[in-house]
Amino acid sequence: MARYFTDEHEWIDVDGDTATIGITDYAQGQLGDIVFVELPGSGTALSKGGDAAVVESVKAASDVYAPIDGEVTEANEALEDDPALVNTAPESDGWFFRMTVGDKSQLDGLMDEAAYKSFCDGL
Amino acid sequence: MSDDTEDRIAEIETLPLDAWHRRKGARMVPFAGYHMPIQFEGIVAEHNWTRQQAGLFDVSHMGQLLVSGERAAEELEKLLPGAIASLKPGKVRYSLLVDENGGILDDLMVTNATPWIEGDEEEGTEGHWGEPAYYLVVNGATKWDDIAHLREHLDDDVTLTHMDDHALIAVQGPNAATALNRVMRNVIDDMVFMESVIHDFGEWPLRITRSGYTGEDGFEISVPAQFAESLADRLCAEIEVRPIGLGARDSLRLEAGLPLYGHDITTETDPVSADLGFALTKRRREEGGWMGHGEVMKVLDRGPAQKRVGLAIEGRMPAREGASIYSGDTQVGRVTSGGFSPTLERPIAMGYVDTALADEGTELEVEVRNKRLPTKVAKLPFVPHRYHRGK
């Protein structure tokens, strides 16, 4: 399984034809206390760069964009009851949704962990 | 991920506690033309700490003004709808600057800061009140316009001083008095909410006012800028006191039902619609003589078309400023500030709705991202005030 990162601070775990999407530890730190996450329903068609989810902190709402094309297969229901999971476990239990990988070539433009780390260091 | 709240603005200035905040680990953002701390350890933790202990807030961006002269009260009464002339020395009142159309230019605190001059036995003089002086604290984003407005309309025989060499530090929370008492003994013993004293703390000349904008008991301390860091350190040395950022200041004042200028009140809103009728003193309503009186009285007589109300939103999704409010298919208002209440652990908001729908318990809907959220008109404040009003 490979983990990719976007410059919008999302992570993508790719396992065969399925990808799991969440926001990074850096992102949750910037947002602060998460109080609500609005997730796409199963079957929602996403296109790379389009709106996929909304994460609400105490102070503001922020959009989460689809990192690749595909169709949503599952949303993380645990976030409904406990949105703070995004703060406490952003890169594991606080995942947002799973989707199909529509176009594998889109993964080529994404960062690996080392590249993402140096990207954050430069911010 | 996008975060569009931190737009870069040119010429952002620094305040006296800038370096102090950075040393304390603040995340700084541009606000009202200054670099300000949005948060330290986190908004929810800071919010809850203030409700349970005491928070230190840097509000030095606000404008501290002194209006002095024999006719200072009469002159201020031309622009403020409150009774300034009957405000006794050391007393504080919430008031408004109102424009000719009855719109709100700013909200502010006025303190009668007339100094007491001690008598001198050797010279045979008795103690007496000095030249009348009024200390105004106005909003940071509006202070330059306020100063221009005051300069334009106040008579030349009163003096307006912008105390821009002073910082303003607020200590707010149920343990604010306990902490402040340990730092400065016997200074605040006899003070109740909306009272103000001058106190020389060593060589630091302070003005301490029992007031604030969190709904909690607390104090606002005006201090010469060069002593601001030392004072902040002295206060934060107390176990009850931690630095709190703007983020929690906003969620605290929203829970307390207190309007935020530029959002819940603007020149497009009048004092009656804004439910700030208490700032229109009875005598001043009847006698007039203040800018905007005619227009405000028209609204008072016929009743406002819309009113500022609290909104309790079902579920967990917050509604933010600008969200439309519906009754059935009809839009009946707009949210002017909204967010998540850490104390109540649910979304709350304030907004304006048609007066017929402004009664507590009225069922409405707020639209967020094309979803209609069931909402009820709620009593303000959302969280009860705990001001120290004395016995």
Side-chain angles (χ1 to χ4, degrees), chain B residues 230-353:
Chain B
S230 304
L231 178 63
D233 279 334
R234 276 299 283 267
L235 293 166
C236 280
E238 298 305 314
I239 198 85
E240 297 90 350
V241 183
R242 289 184 186 171
I244 308 294
L246 287 174
R249 182 172 161 79
D250 191 48
S251 52
L252 287 159
R253 70 92 202 162
L254 180 59
E255 287 185 348
L258 300 170
L260 179 63
Y261 193 82
H263 303 265
D264 307 302
I265 48 177
T266 68
T267 51
E268 301 300 310
T269 61
D270 64 84
V272 183
S273 309
D275 200 21
L276 300 174
F278 69 91
L280 313 172
T281 315
K282 185 161 174 284
R283 173 179 71 80
R284 311 275 349 264
R285 287 185 195 192
E286 290 164 0
E287 294 177 4
W290 42 277
M291 188 180 285
H293 173 254
E295 293 303 314
V296 171
M297 289 310 290
K298 278 187 207 164
V299 181
L300 202 56
D301 289 342
R302 66 165 186 251
Q306 291 203 322
K307 271 168 95 170
R308 181 174 64 94
V309 296
L311 299 164
I313 296 154
E314 215 170 90
R316 286 189 66 94
M317 194 194 294
R320 311 283 180 180
E321 181 176 1
S324 297
I325 304 170
Y326 288 87
S327 175
D329 291 334
T330 314
Q331 188 183 339
V332 296
R334 196 174 62 84
V335 170
T336 50
S337 55
F340 192 81
S341 162
T343 303
L344 305 173
E345 297 188 310
R346 58 179 176 78
I348 56 172
M350 286 196 281
Y352 284 79
V353 298

Side-chain angles (χ1 to χ4, degrees), chain A residues 5 7 20 26 42-43 55 69 122:
Chain A
F5 295 84
D7 56 9
T20 305
Y26 176 89
S42 289
V55 55
D69 295 348

Side-chain angles (χ1 to χ4, degrees), chain B residues 77 215 262 296 310 359:
Chain B
E77 285 200 349
V296 171
D359 290 337

Side-chain angles (χ1 to χ4, degrees), chain A residues 17-31:
Chain A
D17 291 331
T18 305
T20 305
I21 317 292
I23 67 168
T24 65
D25 187 49
Y26 176 89
Q28 71 77 23
Q30 289 293 308
L31 290 170

Side-chain angles (χ1 to χ4, degrees), chain B residues 32-332:
Chain B
Y34 298 98
H35 294 287
M36 298 281 289
I38 181 92
Q39 68 170 65
F40 293 83
E41 58 179 314
I43 293 174
V44 171
E46 292 166 36
H47 179 112
N48 291 335
W49 184 264
T50 305
R51 286 263 182 262
Q52 290 154 15
Q53 296 285 341
L56 181 146
F57 302 76
D58 179 16
V59 287
S60 303
H61 63 299
M62 300 185 85
Q64 300 182 69
L65 312 176
L66 197 69
V67 176
S68 56
E70 287 306 324
R71 297 184 51 256
E74 290 86 334
E75 285 299 305
L76 280 172
E77 285 200 349
K78 296 197 308 195
L79 302 175
L80 306 176
I84 308 302
S86 60
L87 188 66
K88 294 193 167 58
K91 297 285 184 184
V92 186
R93 185 158 289 169
Y94 175 81
S95 195
L96 304 165
L97 284 172
V98 181
D99 69 16
E100 277 157 352
N101 305 317
I104 302 172
L105 290 167
D106 204 0
D107 64 339
L108 64 147
M109 292 289 186
V110 195
T111 300
N112 184 336
T114 303
W116 175 253
I117 313 292
E118 293 291 345
D120 189 324
E121 272 188 39
E122 286 181 17
E123 291 187 12
T125 58
E126 292 193 4
H128 62 279
W129 294 108
E131 181 183 62
Y134 293 86
Y135 167 66
L136 275 54
V137 178
V138 304
N139 280 294
T142 45
K143 65 184 175 187
W144 302 110
D145 288 342
D146 291 354
I147 289 168
H149 181 73
L150 291 166
R151 285 204 197 287
E152 184 182 349
H153 296 286
L154 294 179
D155 217 58
D156 288 342
D157 59 0
V158 299
T159 307
L160 174 65
T161 311
H162 182 197
M163 300 163 60
D164 54 359
D165 53 352
H166 278 64
L168 190 62
I169 295 173
V171 187
Q172 300 279 300
N175 287 336
T178 304
L180 196 55
N181 253 326
R182 222 182 283 122
V183 178
M184 305 173 200
R185 286 172 203 279
N186 306 324
V187 176
I188 58 168
D189 289 354
D190 300 325
M191 287 176 79
V192 297
F193 182 59
M194 298 298 256
E195 288 186 343
S196 181
V197 295
I198 288 283
H199 174 63
D200 286 332
F201 184 52
E203 63 171 349
W204 309 344
L206 308 178
R207 170 169 290 284
I208 304 174
T209 305
R210 199 155 198 167
S211 63
Y213 224 59
T214 60
E216 298 294 333
D217 183 24
F219 304 85
E220 291 183 334
I221 307 175
S222 175
V223 53
Q226 69 266 35
F227 308 127
E229 276 206 5
S230 304
L231 178 63
D233 279 334
R234 276 299 283 267
L235 293 166
C236 280
E238 298 305 314
I239 198 85
E240 297 90 350
V241 183
R242 289 184 186 171
I244 308 294
L246 287 174
R249 182 172 161 79
D250 191 48
S251 52
L252 287 159
R253 70 92 202 162
L254 180 59
E255 287 185 348
L258 300 170
L260 179 63
Y261 193 82
H263 303 265
D264 307 302
I265 48 177
T266 68
T267 51
E268 301 300 310
T269 61
D270 64 84
V272 183
S273 309
D275 200 21
L276 300 174
F278 69 91
L280 313 172
T281 315
K282 185 161 174 284
R283 173 179 71 80
R284 311 275 349 264
R285 287 185 195 192
E286 290 164 0
E287 294 177 4
W290 42 277
M291 188 180 285
H293 173 254
E295 293 303 314
V296 171
M297 289 310 290
K298 278 187 207 164
V299 181
L300 202 56
D301 289 342
R302 66 165 186 251
Q306 291 203 322
K307 271 168 95 170
R308 181 174 64 94
V309 296
L311 299 164
I313 296 154
E314 215 170 90
R316 286 189 66 94
M317 194 194 294
R320 311 283 180 180
E321 181 176 1
S324 297
I325 304 170
Y326 288 87
S327 175
D329 291 334
T330 314
Q331 188 183 339
V332 296

